[in-house]
Amino acid sequence: MKVINPTTEAVIAELQPTDAKDLSRIIESLQEGQKAWSLKPVAERLACIVRFGELIQRNSDELAHILTSETGKPLRQSLNEIQGAQNRIDHLQQNAEKWLTSETLVDSGSTHEKIVYEPLGVIANISAWNFPYNVGYNVFLYALIAGNSVLYKPSEFASLTGKQFEKNLWQAGVPENVFRCVIGGGDLGQRLLEESIEGYFFTGSYKTGLHIARTVAHKLVPVQLELGGKDPLYVMDDIINVHQAALNAAEGAFYNNGQSCCAVERIYVSDTIHDDFVEALTAEVSSYTVGDPTDLKTYIGPLTRLQQLEVLKDQIADALSKGAILKTGGQKMDREGYYFEPTVLVNCDASMKVMQEESFGPVIGIQKVGSDSEALDLMQDTDYGLTAAVFSSDQKRALRVLEQLDVGTAYWNCCDRVSPNVPWSGRKHSGLGATLSAQGIRAFVQPKSYHLRP
Ligand code: NDP
């Protein structure tokens, strides 16, 4: 399997895909390894993860270069991701033992009652390429600490990083038969669905997520889906600093080239501040440094996947044909690599693909609105339900909108943010189940209830 650098379009590695025979052997060894791993005290499993975190931090420069080479993520953002994801490990260190300890609910009278949290077994972690540290950690660290073994399938666009997870986990003391990274594309993912696995934890698109849920339904094992979004931001007319709001909105939309599940994907702006907001946002986006992602000054690098260039071109053409106006960008860049100009469209409406379908690239559509109720109707006018944001100086007013939205995460005066303290979950076509927080670790255990008559 060829690994292509999206900046140079050169093949930078060739990996041997995991074949069917290897896969069966790996799963057998993970089944074996899981038994011994689950008998270790939580503190011992946690200690391995803490050591893993230390190794990653120590090697963050080298790891950031690997991530940038296969995804095109600007190096500064690769470093941010690697260093920032450590917050999951810190949070687990503080809480995991507490969350996994058995709970006695009744310890008097004739019948005592308690809950013990048992691991699921061997779980499959089928992952995405856009934030492999963040979304990988959310699953495999929590699963390992809970006593499971993990079959990790990185996206074919982040396989070198997946191999680094394996190397560093092993070095940190996680046994080789407890964590394995397998290499391959969608066909390998498909094969995992046919294997004897006790839980599927998927991060990726709605289309693949739905396919996985359907295919493994007959097994009646846990299936968790972290899927895409079309996340709206509404900027209210009472915002005090329109310029700052525009800068924050631009960052939410364009960080990592817009390739974030919770990127701001569409913006609704009150008509009274619309023109000032658009002017500030367009100026900011036009000033972004586009270029070689290994240069620490670069803010926008290439897209990771060649095929996404066509998706963006199609969305922009569709919008322009229906009356949108291009403020900046709009084209694939005339240079080597999968570069697309950071693009701002105004005069958008709900009939346009750019306001309905995930763009997953450096493109934002903006629509003018006349009232909170109009904004609310538009914000919930997609099949997705990942996040939604409101910028306003009035918390009560912002919450009145946010409380009515069918989303897993609501932001007031911030956006595009994930925290280990609170669950990360999508609704509707954005997913099923939750990662992070206590709920995120409970996803990897099954309760056993004891009724004991001493
Ligand atoms: P895909 O759905 O294309 O792929 C996700 C994973 O599934 C990859 O490892 C892929 O392998 C694998 N896969 C592909 N086909 C199959 C199959 N038939 N059976 C099993 N596995 C399969 O998503 P992307 O990698 O393009 O990720 C981008 C998407 O992920 C966006 O929609 C984004 O919003 C979403 N996402 C959601 C997050 C969340 O927390 N809600 C976080 C991050 C991303 P391969 O790549 O090798 O083909």
Side-chain angles (χ1 to χ4, degrees):
M1 196 180 81
K2 291 185 170 61
V3 178
I4 293 173
N5 181 330
T7 310
T8 60
E9 302 180 38
V11 176
I12 51 169
E14 291 204 35
L15 301 174
Q16 186 59 44
T18 307
D19 68 23
K21 248 208 238 131
D22 286 346
L23 185 61
S24 304
R25 259 203 314 270
I26 288 170
I27 292 173
E28 274 168 33
S29 80
L30 288 172
Q31 285 163 344
E32 198 53 42
Q34 193 267 332
K35 289 183 200 136
W37 180 247
S38 67
L39 295 175
K40 288 187 191 298
V42 176
E44 216 174 296
R45 299 196 293 256
L46 191 53
C48 294
I49 300 306
V50 170
R51 275 196 298 277
F52 166 76
E54 288 161 1
L55 284 169
I56 295 290
Q57 293 306 313
R58 201 177 310 145
N59 300 323
S60 59
D61 268 338
E62 182 197 345
L63 295 171
H65 275 97
I66 293 172
L67 180 56
T68 292
S69 73
E70 62 182 340
T71 61
K73 189 188 292 264
L75 193 59
R76 165 62 51 216
Q77 296 177 24
S78 292
L79 282 164
N80 289 350
E81 181 184 345
I82 291 170
Q83 288 154 5
Q86 173 69 24
N87 65 10
R88 274 80 164 160
I89 298 178
D90 297 341
H91 196 245
L92 283 166
Q93 204 174 359
Q94 288 154 18
N95 296 296
E97 279 191 89
K98 178 178 71 194
W99 290 332
L100 292 170
T101 302
S102 60
E103 292 171 68
T104 298
L105 298 155
V106 179
D107 63 355
S108 60
S110 64
T111 310
H112 295 193
E113 293 168 359
K114 73 171 189 173
I115 309 172
V116 173
Y117 295 105
E118 297 183 346
L120 301 174
V122 180
I123 66 106
N125 177 187
I126 303 176
S127 203
W129 48 266
N130 60 330
F131 280 94
Y133 284 83
N134 287 331
V135 299
Y137 279 21
N138 292 358
V139 174
F140 67 71
L141 295 183
Y142 289 68
L144 288 170
I145 291 175
N148 302 279
S149 56
V150 176
L151 185 61
Y152 178 72
K153 195 205 98 56
S155 160
E156 61 191 297
F157 301 102
S159 299
L160 300 178
T161 295
K163 277 294 181 194
Q164 291 299 320
F165 291 152
E166 184 180 68
K167 180 178 135 192
N168 285 284
L169 282 166
W170 290 357
Q171 207 175 323
V174 174
E176 293 187 13
N177 60 2
V178 168
F179 183 92
R180 288 299 294 266
C181 169
V182 288
I183 293 297
D187 52 332
L188 175 65
Q190 179 67 35
R191 284 217 307 277
L192 298 189
L193 311 183
E194 288 138 30
E195 296 287 342
S196 171
I197 286 182
E198 278 106 7
Y200 288 88
F201 294 80
F202 172 78
T203 308
S205 61
Y206 164 71
K207 184 168 163 259
T208 313
L210 180 66
H211 169 73
I212 289 176
R214 280 193 172 132
T215 309
V216 303
H218 68 281
K219 299 188 185 193
L220 297 182
V221 297
V223 175
Q224 188 155 294
L225 307 172
E226 302 284 341
L227 309 177
K230 189 71 194 167
D231 298 356
L233 162 66
Y234 171 33
V235 188
M236 289 180 166
D237 52 10
D238 62 7
I239 198 83
I240 290 161
N241 187 337
V242 175
H243 186 258
Q244 189 57 49
L247 301 194
N248 296 350
E251 188 182 9
F254 289 89
Y255 191 82
N256 196 31
N257 231 340
Q259 301 169 121
S260 165
C261 56
C262 53
V264 172
E265 285 255 342
R266 50 200 170 112
I267 304 179
Y268 303 102
V269 189
S270 292
D271 46 11
T272 54
I273 57 163
H274 175 270
D275 294 355
D276 290 344
F277 178 88
V278 168
E279 192 187 326
L281 185 129
T282 307
E284 172 70 0
V285 171
S286 310
S287 77
Y288 284 152
T289 310
V290 183
D292 176 359
T294 61
D295 183 337
L296 283 171
K297 290 193 291 296
T298 295
Y299 190 70
I300 301 278
L303 290 171
T304 303
R305 295 169 308 165
L306 176 62
Q307 64 265 38
Q308 200 64 12
L309 295 169
E310 289 308 313
V311 174
L312 300 182
K313 268 164 62 182
D314 175 59
Q315 287 193 355
I316 292 167
D318 171 73
L320 294 177
S321 74
K322 291 173 181 163
I325 298 165
L326 190 62
K327 296 297 288 184
T328 185
Q331 311 264 359
K332 175 187 176 333
M333 292 177 79
D334 187 18
R335 57 176 290 169
E336 188 177 64
Y338 311 152
Y339 285 84
F340 201 91
E341 293 170 344
T343 300
V344 177
L345 291 160
V346 295
N347 211 27
C348 294
D349 65 47
S351 72
M352 300 171 185
K353 291 181 191 176
V354 77
M355 301 303 268
Q356 289 292 323
E357 297 172 9
E358 195 174 32
S359 302
F360 226 59
V363 175
I364 192 72
I366 301 178
Q367 180 170 355
K368 199 187 277 187
V369 290
S371 67
D372 291 356
S373 66
E374 185 189 359
L376 178 63
D377 286 348
L378 290 165
M379 288 171 96
Q380 44 200 6
D381 183 31
T382 75
D383 291 329
Y384 289 109
L386 192 59
T387 84
V390 174
F391 288 179
S392 166
S393 57
D394 181 342
Q395 181 177 1
K396 275 200 188 127
R397 184 176 163 202
L399 288 181
R400 269 200 300 276
V401 172
L402 292 169
E403 281 161 6
Q404 296 182 68
L405 291 167
D406 198 9
V407 292
T409 295
Y411 302 114
W412 175 49
N413 289 344
C414 56
C415 55
D416 192 24
R417 180 179 192 276
V418 179
S419 159
N421 301 312
V422 287
W424 183 251
S425 63
R427 298 190 186 173
K428 303 194 288 180
H429 287 192
S430 292
L432 199 64
T435 52
L436 301 175
S437 77
Q439 295 198 34
I441 207 155
R442 292 274 165 80
F444 297 100
V445 289
Q446 43 197 339
K448 182 180 276 177
S449 300
Y450 283 91
H451 302 241
L452 304 168
R453 293 219 164 130

